Amino acid sequence: MTQSLRGRAAVVGVAESDLGEVAPGLTHLDLIGQATARALADAGIAKSEVDGLFTASSYLPMAAMDTAEYLGIRPRHLDGTNIGGSSFVSHLLHAAAAIEQGLCSTALIVYGSTQRSDGGRLISPTRPDPYEEPYGPRYPLSMYALATSRHMYEYGTTREQLADVAVAARAWAQLNPAAFERKPLTREDVLGSRMISDPLTVRDCCLVTDGGGALVVTSAERARDLASEPAYLLGGGEATWHRNISRMPDLTLTAATESGRRAFETAGLTPADVDVVELYDAFTINPVLFLEDLGFCAKGEGGPFVADGGIAPGGRLPVNTNGGGLSYGHPGMYGIFTVIEAVRQLRGDCDERQVDGARVALAHGNGGVLSSQVTALLGTADALN
Amino acid sequence: MNSHEAPELSPALAHRAGLSRGELRYQRCAPCSAAVFPPRTLCPDCGSLSLSWQRSTGIGTVYATTVVRGRDGAHNVVLVDLDDGFRMMSRVEGPAPEDVAIGDRVRFRTTADAETADGDTPDGETADGNTAVFVPEEDVR
């Protein structure tokens, strides 16, 4: 996105569907229906006003049409971009551009998955790469494990530091009634849990849950007339450098370096201006890489940055305040929840886990195997002026 | 019939044909000299269609490693940086899966070679029985 889009669009409604393990028989589209109705109610906007639909699905390759039909809307602008878990942060940037250009005026971004009820395996339309599949990597876990091995080798990052990412997520989740896993978790619990793809244990991996979410986006002008407090889109950036892990140029350096730089440039901000950070934490290595690549610490310093409560409640930087994919929930693709939590923090709606005085929030989506990186910066009216 | 010459093997089939002859093949871009793998029609660096087949020396260094653990045991998965300048996923055969380390020097062989050498059939082979795997360089027979 360009600087001319700074502050031109706002998220005016956010909601989750039922989460965790939903009632038997509910489908991913049923969860999309719940999230949509709740987000529109949150925004104070009627469904009939939605004229732009943005969605991606693990189930349906042409999900935008199925979703429009289910919801009973007839959008004049459809965007079914599917770049994995980052899709929904990308949709937010695309929606802002579409609204600015008059392609639509009220955008709905939605997602739903019943991955847990489906049996817990990752539902994915991804086809295995023929140059990787013969070696039996466990997709996507082994790909992140390979990146972890390289980060440890180059920078001395330790399993203890990674475990502290999971421990911090759990501590935040204990402050969030909507989080799926809220039992106490220690570093020793993580280190002692079952190894799945070295050096990652089951507790280094995100949860497998059901869930859905929705965002309602409209122009800043219109947002000011609505009941809810708008979260303005201040900046954003996207970047993709590879699809398969064997073609990732440097396993310790993600395209978040580029998406983040674009986001900060368009917003006219620096990492020091960010009050709360919501990162796609599919695995414990993700926050380490993204905090480095987005500029919150130097390359190679991510391990010490996250260790010993660095990103836990009361730490140096509030990261994944909902509990993240590691403890709040991870229904196949998590990206939309980074934006939902960022908006709630900016509105001051987060009760026990509220970051005091949050004015600027960063939401970062990751898709594929560290493949797609999308960064959005959101702010309050105060941050906009 | 038209007058076109017989088509060359597709990039994927040319690579497979190499494996069946015990060769690890990759492509080299004529204009920019980039080493290209996996095989394709266009150079991902400069966009040229002028790619020529090369036989890799088969010598490389382990760039990243993991051990995949499941009900049926554990196996190693690595990324190998070939000295020729390309990277590929593979496995290192011989050492225990967790004993494979970043920086290890390794040498290519095919699973067909391995059958001959070890008298058993490793896991994960492709339909034609030839998959590119690696062994520690000092173990090459």
Side-chain angles (χ1 to χ4, degrees):
Chain A
M1 88 181 239
T2 60
Q3 281 183 332
S4 64
L5 281 175
R6 182 182 184 278
R8 299 291 299 151
V11 182
V12 294
V14 295
E16 297 131 317
S17 69
D18 293 354
L19 298 172
E21 192 162 329
V22 299
L26 281 174
T27 69
H28 60 284
L29 286 169
D30 292 332
L31 300 187
I32 282 174
Q34 291 177 342
T36 296
R38 292 173 190 171
L40 287 168
D42 183 52
I45 288 178
K47 182 169 74 69
S48 57
E49 294 184 55
V50 174
D51 59 356
L53 178 65
F54 299 71
T55 193
S57 169
S58 298
Y59 300 86
L60 301 168
M62 299 181 204
M65 288 190 290
D66 301 273
T67 305
E69 176 187 281
Y70 182 97
L71 295 175
I73 58 177
R74 295 182 172 184
R76 62 189 174 106
H77 185 68
L78 281 165
D79 183 338
T81 303
N82 190 343
I83 46 176
S86 59
S87 299
F88 314 92
V89 188
S90 169
H91 293 162
L92 175 58
L93 309 190
H94 296 186
I99 291 165
E100 180 73 8
Q101 293 300 318
L103 301 177
C104 62
S105 61
T106 303
L108 173 68
I109 302 170
V110 280
Y111 175 68
S113 166
T114 52
Q115 191 192 339
R116 187 176 185 86
S117 297
D118 295 339
R121 299 293 294 186
L122 180 66
I123 306 297
S124 174
T126 294
R127 299 223 174 122
D129 179 73
Y131 297 91
E132 295 188 349
E133 188 185 21
Y135 307 107
R138 187 163 164 188
Y139 182 92
L141 164 64
S142 296
M143 289 65 175
Y144 287 86
L146 287 165
T148 308
S149 79
R150 191 70 200 180
H151 203 275
M152 288 175 149
Y153 176 82
E154 289 198 23
Y155 299 113
T157 307
T158 65
R159 285 191 58 208
E160 287 75 11
Q161 292 166 343
L162 294 169
D164 285 358
V165 174
V167 170
R170 185 60 57 86
W172 283 111
Q174 290 181 307
L175 304 177
N176 181 5
F180 188 70
E181 284 283 5
R182 304 184 69 204
K183 298 185 296 287
L185 183 75
T186 66
R187 180 191 274 189
E188 289 67 33
D189 292 336
V190 179
L191 295 175
S193 60
R194 182 167 52 92
M195 190 69 80
I196 306 182
S197 193
D198 299 25
L200 300 179
T201 70
V202 65
R203 293 282 163 247
D204 288 292
C205 302
C206 61
L207 304 176
V208 175
T209 64
D210 302 329
L215 313 171
V216 181
V217 185
T218 192
S219 68
E221 290 80 7
R222 177 135 185 267
R224 291 187 190 99
D225 298 331
L226 295 169
S228 66
E229 189 182 330
Y232 295 93
L233 182 63
L234 302 178
E238 304 190 37
T240 300
W241 292 351
H242 70 278
R243 170 67 184 93
N244 295 288
I245 200 71
S246 54
R247 267 81 87 197
M248 183 172 177
D250 177 345
L251 263 61
T252 68
L253 189 72
T254 75
T257 49
E258 189 181 331
S259 68
R261 177 171 46 74
R262 289 202 185 119
F264 283 113
E265 279 175 8
T266 50
L269 297 171
T270 71
D273 298 311
V274 178
D275 300 304
V276 58
V277 178
E278 309 297 342
L279 305 173
Y280 195 132
D281 57 341
F283 303 94
T284 50
I285 189 64
N286 296 39
V288 172
L289 289 168
F290 300 151
L291 287 165
E292 293 172 352
D293 292 343
L294 295 170
F296 290 95
C297 63
K299 179 49 66 182
E301 295 296 318
F305 190 90
V306 301
D308 302 311
I311 58 172
R316 59 168 64 89
L317 183 69
V319 175
N320 295 353
T321 51
N322 58 356
L326 291 165
S327 280
Y328 156 84
H330 190 286
M333 297 198 278
Y334 173 78
I336 201 164
F337 301 101
T338 66
V339 181
I340 291 171
E341 180 68 4
V343 169
R344 286 179 173 159
Q345 286 287 348
L346 294 174
R347 287 180 178 180
D349 284 348
C350 289
D351 299 325
E352 272 195 277
R353 68 183 191 281
Q354 180 64 45
V355 174
D356 287 339
R359 294 170 67 248
V360 175
L362 183 147
H364 183 80
N366 165 71
V369 289
L370 298 167
S371 317
S372 161
Q373 303 298 325
V374 188
T375 311
L377 284 159
L378 295 139
T380 60
D382 185 37
L384 182 62
N385 300 320
Chain B
M1 294 294 288
N2 59 35
S3 60
H4 291 302
E5 292 174 27
E8 295 175 25
L9 285 178
S10 77
L13 291 177
H15 178 255
R16 290 266 296 274
L19 284 181
S20 70
R21 296 170 58 165
E23 296 178 8
L24 179 59
R25 292 180 181 171
Y26 69 103
Q27 292 162 301
R28 181 75 68 183
C29 176
C32 82
S33 300
V36 177
F37 189 87
R40 65 195 81 185
T41 57
L42 153 156
C43 172
D45 275 19
C46 75
S48 166
L49 292 170
S50 297
L51 301 177
S52 63
W53 285 102
Q54 309 289 322
R55 181 177 180 175
S56 171
T57 62
I59 305 290
T61 304
V62 174
Y63 174 73
T65 183
T66 185
V67 181
V68 183
R69 298 178 188 273
R71 289 189 192 88
D72 304 327
H75 68 274
N76 160 267
V77 175
V78 293
L79 298 179
V80 175
D81 281 343
L82 277 298
D83 289 0
D84 305 290
F86 67 96
R87 179 178 297 162
M88 62 182 289
M89 183 174 282
S90 190
R91 65 170 171 263
V92 177
E93 299 189 334
E98 57 273 17
D99 289 342
V100 176
I102 292 173
D104 286 356
R105 292 289 281 168
V106 292
R107 181 185 292 268
F108 157 84
R109 71 177 183 188
T110 69
T111 45
D113 294 338
E115 272 185 76
T116 309
D118 303 338
D120 60 359
T121 306
D123 300 332
E125 62 190 5
T126 53
D128 63 3
N130 283 294
T131 299
V133 298
F134 288 81
V135 292
E137 203 192 352
E138 64 273 18
D139 286 0
V140 173
R141 279 174 271 203

